[in-house]
mmCIF file of all heavy atoms in Angstrom:
data_model
loop_
_atom_site.group_PDB
_atom_site.id
_atom_site.type_symbol
_atom_site.label_atom_id
_atom_site.label_comp_id
_atom_site.label_asym_id
_atom_site.label_seq_id
_atom_site.Cartn_x
_atom_site.Cartn_y
_atom_site.Cartn_z
ATOM 1 N N THR D 101 -49.656 103.151 8.733
ATOM 2 C CA THR D 101 -49.268 102.917 7.355
ATOM 3 C C THR D 101 -49.593 101.491 6.922
ATOM 4 O O THR D 101 -49.637 101.212 5.729
ATOM 5 C CB THR D 101 -47.757 103.191 7.160
ATOM 6 O OG1 THR D 101 -47.056 102.429 8.122
ATOM 7 C CG2 THR D 101 -47.463 104.653 7.295
ATOM 8 N N PRO D 143 -60.364 99.134 24.240
ATOM 9 C CA PRO D 143 -58.920 99.265 24.446
ATOM 10 C C PRO D 143 -58.626 100.264 25.574
ATOM 11 O O PRO D 143 -59.426 101.138 25.889
ATOM 12 C CB PRO D 143 -58.435 99.850 23.115
ATOM 13 C CG PRO D 143 -59.622 100.569 22.575
ATOM 14 C CD PRO D 143 -60.845 99.824 23.043
ATOM 15 N N VAL D 145 -56.306 103.403 26.392
ATOM 16 C CA VAL D 145 -55.674 104.373 25.497
ATOM 17 C C VAL D 145 -54.527 105.075 26.264
ATOM 18 O O VAL D 145 -54.766 105.561 27.381
ATOM 19 C CB VAL D 145 -56.712 105.431 25.047
ATOM 20 C CG1 VAL D 145 -56.058 106.376 24.051
ATOM 21 C CG2 VAL D 145 -57.903 104.718 24.433
ATOM 22 N N THR D 427 -36.612 80.480 58.286
ATOM 23 C CA THR D 427 -36.170 81.873 58.228
ATOM 24 C C THR D 427 -37.220 82.809 58.833
ATOM 25 O O THR D 427 -36.867 83.797 59.508
ATOM 26 C CB THR D 427 -35.925 82.308 56.755
ATOM 27 O OG1 THR D 427 -36.949 81.724 55.965
ATOM 28 C CG2 THR D 427 -34.593 81.897 56.294
ATOM 29 N N VAL D 528 -73.139 75.308 74.553
ATOM 30 C CA VAL D 528 -73.297 74.410 73.452
ATOM 31 C C VAL D 528 -72.163 73.396 73.402
ATOM 32 O O VAL D 528 -72.370 72.181 73.280
ATOM 33 C CB VAL D 528 -73.289 75.196 72.108
ATOM 34 C CG1 VAL D 528 -73.241 74.252 70.919
ATOM 35 C CG2 VAL D 528 -74.517 76.071 72.041
ATOM 36 N N ALA D 678 -39.881 104.566 60.966
ATOM 37 C CA ALA D 678 -40.553 103.513 60.222
ATOM 38 C C ALA D 678 -40.808 102.305 61.139
ATOM 39 O O ALA D 678 -41.862 101.712 61.101
ATOM 40 C CB ALA D 678 -39.713 103.090 59.013
#
Side-chain angles (χ1 to χ4, degrees):
T101 52
V145 184
T427 38
V528 171

